[in-house]
Amino acid sequence: MDFLKLGIIGYPLTHSLSPLLHAELMRGLGLEGEYAKYELPPEQVRTRLHGMKQQGVRGLNVTIPHKVAVMQAMDWLSPEAELAGAVNTIVFEPDPAGGVRLHGHNTDIGGFMRSLPSPVREALPHSHVLILGAGGSARAVMTGLIEAHTQAITFAVRNPAKALSITSDGQLIKRTLNSPTQLNLVTLDNLSALSGFAGLVNTTPVGMYPQIEACPIPSELLDSLPENAWVYDLIYRPLETRLLQAASQRNLFRVNGLDMLIYQGICSFELWWGQSVPTPLVSPLRERLQKELPP
Ligand code: NAP
């Protein structure tokens, strides 16, 4: 297997765990490569991508704030990247004429879906899921849930006018995938009882370090969730947010954001290296990454 030059573009790129994640996967599979951090302001992205083609870069992850803007620089988009309207992984694909084509993928969708425990995933066609927030990660979560024919999704947001585009794009995704998922939008302040929801996903940054005391909804609201409901927080810094602490007090099933981070990384890795990551590598990888994170 060739030595692969890989990396991540974002701005800023202070705390990214991706270099460690990919170094661990390469070590675990005996592969040789490098994974560099490229901190690029938006105006430099296009030129640098072009330069990276000449330098033999083979793959990149894309993070905030470039996930949407970078789509315009792609020569091809995967159906999922097109549906979600965002790219988080670029494959530099050699073409027969000796050039390099940029292929844009979205592995946040697969990362989120692979991180769902099987009983949760299997119950989605009968589940109504509440998503807090309607930004970039909410779109990836929505796309995965629609693909899985989730019964219904309700977005709870602070500014419904700003969030209208997520439900209209969701309608398009539903039609494209021929999925029955119902989509609704409500204001966070109007959330009262959660008894009709099978699960809740926080996609807002509320509760993320350093604002670790914050909770995206009043914690008493969790009392109204059914006792077999699950609560998923996309945040992994800290691993146990205030929201997950409140869910723990109710003894609800909980998932933090670390597994989504791990699985989106694994999906990118598999695209670049053309081989799958064996399941036994996942637990040691999770343990290694956990050491870098506050509890
Ligand atoms: P984003 O595109 O900026 O979207 C954030 C959403 O949260 C927007 O809908 C925003 O509403 C809402 N929001 C922000 N502050 C809020 C507040 N105080 N009250 C209510 N709503 C608020 O960000 P993103 O890329 O989706 O990321 C969101 C979170 O997910 C971050 O914590 C990120 O670290 C995490 N994440 C984790 C993974 C993973 O692999 N685990 C992957 C992606 C993202 P407005 O539009 O009104 O501002």
Side-chain angles (χ1 to χ4, degrees), residues 16-228:
S16 176
L17 284 177
S18 294
L20 176 60
L21 188 154
H22 286 280
E24 287 294 305
L25 287 174
M26 288 188 273
R27 197 174 57 80
L29 286 162
L31 298 167
E32 284 191 49
E34 65 171 35
Y35 188 99
K37 289 208 279 185
Y38 301 96
E39 196 168 58
L40 302 181
E43 63 278 9
Q44 285 182 18
V45 171
R46 235 174 211 281
T47 334
R48 289 297 300 277
L49 282 176
H50 187 68
M52 286 179 201
K53 285 184 186 174
Q54 325 296 325
Q55 290 155 5
V57 171
R58 297 288 295 277
L60 288 175
N61 279 130
V62 181
T63 188
I64 291 171
H66 304 317
K67 286 186 186 184
V68 175
V70 86
M71 290 179 78
Q72 290 170 359
M74 297 298 109
D75 299 303
W76 176 85
L77 290 169
S78 74
E80 284 198 324
E82 212 152 354
L83 285 174
V87 160
N88 81 327
T89 303
I90 303 174
V91 179
F92 288 61
E93 203 74 55
D95 70 23
V100 175
R101 285 168 59 82
L102 300 181
H103 289 192
H105 298 259
N106 188 311
T107 69
D108 282 336
I109 302 168
F112 172 72
M113 294 309 288
R114 278 170 80 168
S115 74
L116 286 177
S118 323
V120 169
R121 216 176 23 230
E122 282 152 22
L124 288 174
H126 315 287
S127 302
H128 188 169
V129 178
L130 177 64
I131 299 183
L132 309 178
S137 57
R139 283 173 177 270
V141 170
M142 170 182 76
T143 308
L145 292 178
I146 292 177
E147 232 169 1
H149 286 208
T150 298
Q151 186 182 54
I153 301 172
T154 293
F155 296 93
V157 301
R158 59 178 172 184
N159 183 349
K162 191 172 163 192
L164 272 176
S165 68
I166 198 167
T167 46
S168 55
D169 291 350
Q171 299 295 351
L172 194 66
I173 297 173
K174 268 180 60 166
R175 283 199 293 278
T176 311
L177 298 177
N178 198 16
S179 168
T181 311
Q182 293 167 30
L183 299 169
N184 318 296
L185 186 61
V186 298
T187 307
L188 266 171
D189 291 341
N190 289 345
L191 271 183
S192 48
L194 306 184
S195 51
F197 295 107
L200 178 163
V201 189
N202 176 38
T203 74
T204 79
V206 181
M208 190 166 72
Y209 181 85
Q211 267 82 44
I212 59 168
E213 297 302 326
C215 193
I217 52 172
S219 50
E220 317 80 75
L221 261 184
L222 294 186
D223 293 342
S224 59
L225 277 171
E227 55 183 42
N228 60 349

Side-chain angles (χ1 to χ4, degrees), residues 209 212 236-241 289-295:
Y209 181 85
I212 59 168
Y236 51 84
R237 221 182 271 278
L239 287 165
E240 193 176 40
T241 56
L289 294 176
Q290 263 170 356
K291 284 193 192 141
E292 303 297 314
L293 293 166

